[in-house]
Amino acid sequence: MPAATRARWVLAAATSVALVASGCSSGSDGGSSGSSDTSKTFSYQSTEPQNPLQPANANETGGGRILQNLFKGLVDYDPSNAKLRMQVADTIETSDAQTFNVTLKDGWTFHDGTPVHAKNFVDAWNWAATTTNNQINGSWFSDIEGYQDVHPASGQPTTNKMSGLTVVDDLHFTVKLNSKVSYFEYKLGYIAFSPLPDAFFNDPAGYGQKPVGNGAYQFVSWDHNQQVVTKAYPNYQGVDKPKNGGVVFKIYSTSEAAYADLQSNNLDVIDQVPPSALATYKSDLGDRAIDAPQGAIQNIGFTLYQPDWAPPEKAKVRQGLSMAIDRDTITKTVLQGSRKAASAWVAEGVEGYKEGQCGDNCKFDPAKAKQLIAEGGGVPGNRLTITYNADGGHKEWVDAVCNSIRQSTGVDCVGDPKPDFKTARAAITGHQINGAFRTGWVQDYPLNANFLADVYRTGAASNDFGYSSPQFDQLANQADQAASVSDTVTGYQQAEAVLAQDMPAVPLWYYRTNSGYSTKVQNVTFDSFGNPAWTQVEVKG
Amino acid sequence: MGSYVLRRVLQMIPVFFGTTLLIFLMVYTLPGDPVAALFGDKAADPAVVANLKHKYYLDQPLWKQYLHYMGNLFQGDFGTSFTGRPVTEIMADAFPVTIRMALMAFLFEMIFGLCLGVVSGLKRGSVQDTLVLVLTLLVISIPVFVLAYIAQTVFATNLGWVTPTVQDSTDLSQLILPAIVLGSLSLAYVARLTRTSIGENLRADYMRTAVAKGLPRRTIITRHLLRNSLIPVVTFLGTDLGALMGGAIVTEGIFNVQGIGNVLYRAINQKEGPTIVGIVTVLVIVYLVASLIVDLLYAVLDPRIRYA
């Protein structure tokens, strides 16, 4: 839609003026610690949720952030180190990595006062996985035995209960998986695995407008397109008791507007600094600026399903292209330090991250790059196109990557912008392109398996490359069957090493959270999901 | 007069159908699958995609979708958005905000634009006239988003009179600044149109006659000069009301006003067909009604114009 593109372009162009303008704003008194008031709420930048507020129906940040405060699953991830920690679950035990015995803590309640029992989990998971309920995150339950019956690839489900889920008593249930997945408990921190109160099943649609959860905050109101208000739940049993009175999600349509409000203390914590303020936000906000690692990576993928890129010797060409990209310079200049050059396919800070897995292939070396490309028979037609969506702020770096490739190797490289994300995705998943495309991965859970199994395994849902390596698959399968999570992690590190030989995708850089907070709050830290540690935020008294 | 209005209203019907069909075709033939896009970066789940497409009637051929949509529309059903909210509810939230802002912008440009235009038109070549010409030229040449950012910086960041963005879109006083920014461009046009029109009419025969008859200056200006000079201005103002409502996307974005522009922008990004078609349909109706009122006003301003 031309109108939309133009409006966005206009806003982007406008930001240069805002930059000049915001330069004159006065300094701040910083985030010095002081007394805090646990009854006061703070505001957070949000977008209008795209779907009703049901845990298994949110995969965009607007709805997802709100839901993760309203609900708490069996486990979550410690915001300070991304390690798994028990929440509603007391223990999750397995002897064979296939059947998991879950014991719940006693005393957890939903915001309507009803207890959180084993059946609340089992019912919620069955409901979410059943095709007829149209939940976007339904495929998250595909590991569980009986998933095919409730979620057939086509046609109607034969039942609405997965055979792998068994309620033992109020505080115990078992989960049996289709095959061994040693790190299954890591997946359980995802919002889709939240429990649902009995009242939900009477009116799922109405509930989506007025959710009742079991998390640290309870739902107060959803003023559409304006704000979603939550307040601290006094009977919350989690290990992270709220140090504030609640979170108000204020809806913004542009990050520039949110940033302007942050600077004038009308908004307490923002999501991401707008691109226009990246160069100045640290001086604008002083010690209230945040620069934290995020579990997300930007890659350039190749169309290995095309005859041009299928032959094994083309791996050398891809290695050469990777070496032709000057990651350090691009992240510092074009991306203004908002990214960190990558040396692996797993993002920094994720459990199992191993620096340098990419080896020399990710080091800038024009001479070697030329040599490898020549050895691999050259880039087909001596021309590389990189498909990307023009609405995501990718143009600048794609052009920079292309310049880098062109200058170091003489390969003609051009960006191929598609008007928006939908169109780009359709071209990529529809196999309508030949060459390279922008791709990336944001962690679902902070474990290296998520960055590898879900992307590079043969036939994986997000394997847009058509990559199929028996060696990688075998190592991944072995890792899945490992006795412990730590063995899984090392197993996947071995699998990751295979990617360095085949180069189905070239890692570029890791994302970072560039954010900030107002003078009214303190103790604001961000986790690797790019979310603040909600309950730890203190509002000054 | 009555039959003229009736004829005009009847003319609106084909225009209405034509525009909705065009918008519908444009939205639904856009590349990219809105349902698959709900899954974001993740691979779409084919079973759920098929279900959702069926639910939103997207699995039907285009002409069936259009008939289905129009059929519902005549029963007052604008469809539902992906959030599960009826489009009528979304519009009922957003339209009042935009209408208030557009009306304030409209009043602002009308009152100040006319005053400036009259002052400079009556005293051509004076200091005031030059000042008005320079200022309006400046406003016309600056894009609206630049103006918005300047206003935001000066009045919110530097002076602290207002908050940088609108905190509560239903609060009239907070909408004043965005409304002024929104109306400023048209204000410049209104001022210049009035000035030219008055300048021309000052030299007209009926003006000389009025002066010769010895009428008081006040009567000459208000009864004879202004009334005759207003016709082009009213034409502009009438069409501008529609433009103010539809063209507020940039202003609403910068000031975070949750009006029609913002909703439309998001709907276009998500390719949420029912929301886009619904909003644009209403905007088209607003435009049609505004232009009808303009035509009727001609007759009031100039008795020589008769509608039969």
Side-chain angles (χ1 to χ4, degrees):
Chain A
M1 177 59 72
T5 353
R6 201 174 65 212
R8 186 168 284 212
W9 177 85
V10 164
L11 289 171
T15 53
S16 53
V17 181
L19 251 182
V20 177
S22 59
C24 11
S25 66
S26 60
S28 65
D29 55 347
S32 58
S33 62
S35 64
S36 68
D37 186 340
T38 51
S39 67
K40 280 191 178 165
T41 62
F42 71 98
S43 54
Y44 188 81
Q45 175 196 353
S46 180
T47 52
E48 173 81 358
Q50 279 183 18
N51 299 299
L53 290 173
Q54 299 158 339
N57 214 3
N59 70 343
E60 35 72 70
T61 52
R65 287 218 170 90
I66 295 166
L67 283 162
Q68 61 178 245
N69 281 295
L70 300 178
F71 288 89
K72 193 55 83 178
L74 295 168
V75 297
D76 72 355
Y77 315 102
D78 189 333
S80 61
N81 57 14
K83 296 259 189 251
L84 196 73
R85 67 180 180 194
M86 296 292 142
Q87 287 282 13
V88 183
D90 191 26
T91 56
I92 300 174
E93 287 165 335
T94 180
S95 52
D96 59 355
Q98 189 161 8
T99 307
F100 291 78
N101 297 312
V102 181
T103 308
L104 306 184
K105 285 181 193 135
D106 202 2
W108 279 74
T109 50
F110 287 104
H111 302 146
D112 60 2
T114 55
V116 180
H117 280 160
K119 74 170 165 54
N120 296 103
F121 282 97
V122 170
D123 290 351
W125 297 3
N126 277 330
W127 188 85
T130 305
T131 329
T132 44
N133 296 320
N134 297 333
Q135 296 295 290
I136 289 185
N137 293 325
S139 57
W140 271 86
F141 303 93
S142 58
D143 290 327
I144 300 171
E145 192 185 80
Y147 172 77
Q148 294 76 8
D149 304 327
V150 298
H151 202 114
S154 61
Q156 291 301 306
T158 50
T159 169
N160 58 6
K161 291 200 169 33
M162 289 183 279
S163 56
L165 297 176
T166 320
V167 177
V168 178
D169 58 38
D170 279 354
L171 296 178
H172 294 87
F173 70 100
T174 58
V175 186
K176 187 159 191 289
L177 306 182
N178 286 318
S179 58
K180 295 186 177 190
V181 184
S182 58
Y183 56 97
F184 182 67
E185 60 185 47
Y186 257 89
K187 297 193 178 189
L188 295 174
Y190 192 68
I191 189 73
F193 289 96
S194 302
L196 289 169
D198 296 340
F200 169 86
F201 302 97
N202 300 331
D203 179 19
Y207 181 96
Q209 303 293 326
K210 270 179 91 162
V212 174
N214 65 329
Y217 298 96
Q218 67 185 101
F219 177 83
V220 177
S221 65
W222 181 0
D223 193 358
H224 284 282
N225 291 324
Q226 306 269 356
Q227 59 183 13
V228 176
V229 182
T230 69
K231 65 173 183 193
Y233 178 52
N235 292 328
Y236 178 60
Q237 300 294 318
V239 293
D240 51 337
K241 295 262 189 298
K243 293 181 179 167
N244 50 64
V247 190
V248 175
F249 295 89
K250 283 173 84 170
I251 289 159
Y252 285 90
S253 42
T254 66
S255 54
E256 281 82 8
Y259 189 66
D261 264 2
L262 176 80
Q263 284 181 298
S264 61
N265 269 350
N266 288 300
L267 175 70
D268 292 326
V269 187
I270 55 166
D271 188 9
Q272 278 280 4
V273 165
S276 58
L278 268 178
T280 56
Y281 85 101
K282 283 184 181 162
S283 57
D284 286 349
L285 301 173
D287 52 7
R288 293 181 289 122
I290 283 171
D291 184 359
Q294 227 182 64
I297 188 169
Q298 185 81 261
N299 298 327
I300 290 179
F302 289 88
T303 55
L304 305 187
Y305 49 82
Q306 297 283 12
D308 279 352
W309 291 96
E313 71 270 17
K314 290 294 171 198
K316 282 203 167 161
V317 177
R318 294 190 290 271
Q319 288 170 343
L321 288 170
S322 174
M323 290 177 122
I325 302 167
D326 187 355
R327 295 172 177 76
D328 284 325
T329 308
I330 296 173
T331 48
K332 282 195 191 94
T333 54
V334 179
L335 296 163
Q336 299 180 330
S338 63
R339 307 278 190 276
K340 188 178 169 190
S343 64
W345 286 266
V346 175
E348 197 184 20
V350 171
E351 182 73 35
Y353 165 69
K354 193 171 166 191
E355 200 182 333
Q357 284 278 52
C358 183
D360 287 342
N361 294 333
C362 288
K363 294 196 180 113
F364 181 53
D365 186 347
K368 191 86 190 294
K370 257 189 207 160
Q371 185 200 331
L372 280 169
I373 291 174
E375 282 173 22
V379 174
N382 200 35
R383 185 183 163 90
L384 181 73
T385 53
I386 303 178
T387 303
Y388 65 97
N389 51 316
D391 63 349
H394 301 300
K395 183 185 188 318
E396 288 74 15
W397 70 254
V398 170
D399 288 350
V401 164
C402 266
N403 277 334
S404 190
I405 289 176
R406 207 178 301 127
Q407 282 170 13
S408 6
T409 65
V411 171
D412 185 19
C413 175
V414 286
D416 167 30
K418 301 286 179 201
D420 55 21
F421 183 69
K422 295 184 294 285
T423 326
R425 286 300 301 167
I428 292 167
T429 55
H431 289 190
Q432 291 155 7
I433 53 172
N434 184 6
F437 56 92
R438 175 204 87 81
T439 177
W441 188 258
V442 182
Q443 67 184 21
D444 297 313
Y445 42 92
L447 189 70
N448 64 348
N450 182 228
F451 283 80
L452 301 167
D454 294 285
V455 189
Y456 301 105
R457 202 196 282 260
T458 303
S462 293
N463 185 343
D464 297 326
F465 326 101
Y467 176 59
S468 176
S469 155
Q471 203 188 347
F472 179 91
D473 290 350
Q474 195 205 342
L475 287 167
N477 288 342
Q478 275 172 14
D480 284 350
Q481 292 170 16
S484 68
V485 172
S486 65
D487 289 350
T488 310
V489 164
T490 24
Y492 269 106
Q493 283 173 345
Q494 288 164 10
E496 190 181 6
V498 177
L499 298 178
Q501 304 160 19
D502 297 341
M503 277 286 180
V506 169
L508 292 177
W509 35 73
Y510 313 124
Y511 279 77
R512 295 189 74 79
T513 301
N514 303 103
S515 178
Y517 50 95
S518 76
T519 57
K520 290 197 271 185
V521 292
Q522 60 192 15
N523 197 27
V524 182
T525 53
F526 276 73
D527 65 14
S528 62
F529 289 90
N531 295 324
W534 306 99
T535 54
Q536 305 307 303
V537 175
E538 294 170 10
V539 186
K540 291 184 189 171
Chain B
M1 179 89 167
S3 65
Y4 172 77
V5 174
L6 186 72
R7 212 165 60 223
R8 284 291 300 265
V9 171
L10 285 177
Q11 277 172 9
M12 284 183 192
I13 295 172
V15 177
F16 171 77
F17 276 104
T19 43
T20 47
L21 180 64
L22 271 181
I23 305 290
F24 197 88
L25 287 177
M26 279 197 261
V27 171
Y28 285 81
T29 49
L30 276 177
D33 182 343
V35 175
L38 283 178
F39 290 83
D41 257 321
K42 301 278 147 55
D45 182 339
V48 174
V49 167
N51 269 351
L52 285 175
K53 277 196 170 167
H54 184 71
K55 184 179 164 193
Y56 293 114
Y57 224 77
L58 293 169
D59 55 347
Q60 300 289 332
L62 190 64
W63 64 272
K64 267 196 181 167
Q65 288 186 38
Y66 182 67
L67 285 186
H68 174 76
Y69 180 80
M70 290 313 273
N72 282 343
L73 195 63
F74 281 104
Q75 295 161 29
D77 179 6
F78 279 84
T80 35
S81 74
F82 290 136
T83 42
R85 290 182 83 203
V87 174
T88 35
E89 205 180 300
I90 295 177
M91 291 199 291
D93 272 356
F95 261 113
V97 173
T98 303
I99 289 174
R100 274 182 219 141
M101 192 167 88
L103 279 181
M104 282 200 312
F106 186 72
L107 282 178
F108 168 73
E109 68 174 66
M110 190 167 76
I111 295 170
F112 288 91
L114 279 177
C115 288
L116 289 178
V118 170
V119 167
S120 69
L122 288 177
K123 297 190 174 170
R124 283 202 156 193
S126 68
V127 183
Q128 294 101 307
D129 181 33
T130 321
L131 202 67
V132 168
L133 281 180
V134 171
L135 279 180
T136 50
L137 182 70
L138 205 65
V139 171
I140 290 172
S141 51
I142 300 177
V144 67
F145 65 85
V146 177
L147 216 57
Y149 278 119
I150 292 175
Q152 203 176 44
T153 311
V154 171
F155 295 105
T157 316
N158 295 354
L159 294 173
W161 291 353
V162 290
T163 51
T165 69
V166 173
Q167 305 295 310
D168 177 6
S169 298
T170 53
D171 183 350
L172 270 186
S173 64
Q174 294 197 26
L175 290 177
I176 292 176
L177 188 63
I180 289 178
V181 168
L182 182 64
S184 57
L185 178 65
S186 303
L187 175 137
Y189 284 123
V190 170
R192 289 185 155 235
L193 260 178
T194 315
R195 176 184 179 274
T196 316
S197 184
I198 281 184
E200 274 170 14
N201 285 326
L202 264 180
R203 290 190 297 273
D205 291 345
Y206 66 84
M207 284 298 292
R208 209 176 324 120
T209 316
V211 174
K213 279 204 295 192
L215 286 175
R217 189 177 155 77
R218 195 183 176 78
T219 318
I220 298 174
I221 290 173
T222 51
R223 294 281 294 280
H224 296 265
L225 179 62
L226 261 188
R227 205 165 155 169
N228 281 298
S229 310
L230 276 184
I231 289 186
V233 182
V234 166
T235 316
F236 175 79
L237 282 174
T239 48
D240 198 44
L241 187 60
L244 283 178
M245 290 187 60
I249 294 186
V250 174
T251 318
E252 288 189 358
I254 292 171
F255 290 101
N256 203 37
V257 179
Q258 299 301 343
I260 253 5
N262 254 339
V263 174
L264 194 59
Y265 177 59
R266 194 175 47 241
I268 289 171
N269 271 336
Q270 288 178 22
K271 211 185 151 200
E272 220 175 67
T275 315
I276 305 173
V277 182
I279 289 175
V280 176
T281 306
V282 174
L283 284 176
V284 166
I285 294 174
V286 169
Y287 220 89
L288 290 175
V289 171
S291 63
L292 174 62
I293 293 173
V294 166
D295 286 352
L296 295 179
L297 271 180
Y298 285 166
V300 178
L301 289 170
D302 187 344
R304 284 171 301 180
I305 300 176
R306 288 268 175 273
Y307 296 120

